[in-house]
Amino acid sequence: MTSDHTLRVQELTLGYGERTVIEGLDLSVLPGKVTAIVGANASGKSTLLRSMSRLLTPRAGRVLLDGQQVHRMPAKHLARLLGLLPQAPITPEGITVADLVGRGRHPHQGVFSPWSRADDDAVAAALDATRTADLADRPVDELSGGQRQRVWIAMALAQETDLLLLDEPTTFLDVSHQVEVLDLLTDLNRARGITIVMVLHDLNLAARYCDQLVMLASGAVRACGRPAEVLTEDRVQEVFGLTNRVITDPVSGLPLMVPIGRHHGRALEYPAADAH
């Protein structure tokens, strides 16, 4: 089943204090697909995600979820529709995996709706989906980086939302754990139709795992579309100031960006990536 919720940004302007980070930005997220947001440092990636999740109020413009402005929606109602995994979330000291994942059920709790069997089932399903059920009784702060990230994703899944926003979910993870987390998110998207929007630093992982690639520069969308349309040599040079070659990934058949440093300037004898 694919999520049919629509998430759109219209003429959005964002900033902190006197500094404007994003101005007049428009973006439509593909329902039921995986969208990756990439760009150089300070391009506005995390700022955009913060506003999409209602953590940052726009100076102008709006974020629309199913046609309603998210900044005017009741917080608990929004939390039933949209889950957020922030960058480097803070783990409460001594909390166990099961208790942390259980906090994802908060939007479904109320004075007249205490913890129920449905909450137990949602937590169990989230632990199972992230392969963390065997860690349920462990303190979160004793886990490895990859395990902790899967537990935080489980908490977001326990909210049972159809949209999931993740800010740099692979940061501080080694390459095997990065692939593990992105494989998990792909599984969730394909099995449950969850719409996923994530900020990533690695262009090649973004191209491999997303359906829609959004490239930001100086607070504006420079390109949006399929990875083969967005990840080009000229655009990487323009946005990142990086000399590069884009070739065909021999594993996925998608674009693969090869950086060329000052000490590695020999022309690469590989065919350019084909359009897909």
Side-chain angles (χ1 to χ4, degrees):
M1 182 176 180
T2 298
S3 167
D4 57 0
H5 292 289
T6 59
L7 183 61
R8 299 170 56 201
V9 170
Q10 292 183 332
E11 300 181 356
L12 194 66
T13 297
L14 304 167
Y16 305 97
E18 297 182 356
R19 182 169 64 96
T20 298
V21 178
I22 286 174
E23 187 167 12
L25 187 145
D26 292 293
L27 177 65
S28 294
V29 172
L30 293 178
K33 302 295 184 180
V34 177
T35 295
I37 302 173
V38 299
N41 291 339
S43 61
K45 303 183 299 297
S46 294
T47 298
L48 174 59
L49 207 69
R50 282 172 56 81
S51 184
M52 292 170 76
S53 62
R54 212 180 78 156
L55 291 180
L56 181 63
T57 301
R59 292 180 174 177
R62 54 189 184 169
V63 178
L64 299 174
L65 176 56
D66 298 335
Q68 300 182 55
Q69 294 192 51
V70 300
H71 294 85
R72 295 182 179 178
M73 297 172 68
K76 186 165 284 192
H77 175 66
L78 178 63
R80 294 192 186 109
L81 301 174
L82 186 151
L84 170 69
L85 178 62
Q87 185 181 153
I90 299 174
T91 304
E93 186 175 356
I95 194 170
T96 66
V97 167
D99 287 341
L100 181 63
V101 176
R103 293 193 177 194
R105 298 302 297 166
H106 174 71
H108 303 275
Q109 305 300 307
V111 176
F112 302 106
S113 55
W115 191 269
S116 67
R117 176 63 181 272
D119 297 312
D120 284 329
D121 291 344
V123 170
L127 291 169
D128 182 62
T130 54
R131 301 190 304 280
T132 53
D134 58 331
L135 305 174
D137 297 325
R138 295 267 304 275
V140 177
D141 52 16
E142 293 182 2
L143 304 180
S144 69
Q147 289 172 327
R148 281 197 301 272
Q149 200 70 326
R150 283 191 283 131
V151 168
W152 279 105
I153 293 172
M155 189 191 76
L157 290 180
Q159 285 183 236
E160 294 189 317
T161 65
D162 289 331
L163 296 100
L164 190 57
L165 309 183
L166 305 104
D167 193 356
E168 299 185 18
T170 60
T171 298
F172 307 124
L173 300 181
D174 62 40
V175 65
S176 64
H177 286 119
Q178 291 178 38
V179 170
E180 178 184 356
V181 166
L182 292 172
D183 278 345
L184 166 63
L185 294 172
T186 299
D187 290 340
L188 295 171
N189 168 258
R190 292 178 178 176
R192 303 187 186 185
I194 297 174
T195 300
I196 295 175
V197 182
M198 55 184 173
V199 170
L200 290 176
H201 272 298
D202 190 309
L203 295 178
N204 291 327
L205 287 178
R208 179 177 283 194
Y209 282 95
C210 77
D211 302 294
Q212 179 183 39
L213 185 61
V214 179
M215 188 173 288
L216 297 187
S218 302
V221 175
R222 284 292 183 267
C224 177
R226 294 177 300 159
E229 298 168 339
V230 173
L231 191 60
T232 66
E233 292 175 6
D234 288 345
R235 196 162 285 125
V236 171
Q237 175 71 53
E238 173 196 353
V239 172
F240 294 89
L242 178 66
T243 304
N244 70 98
R245 286 290 305 274
V246 174
I247 64 175
T248 299
D249 185 332
V251 174
S252 67
L254 293 164
L256 179 71
M257 191 279 294
V258 181
I260 303 176
R262 291 185 295 106
H263 301 288
H264 309 93
R266 182 175 61 84
L268 299 177
E269 297 176 359
Y270 292 100
D274 297 327
H276 292 274

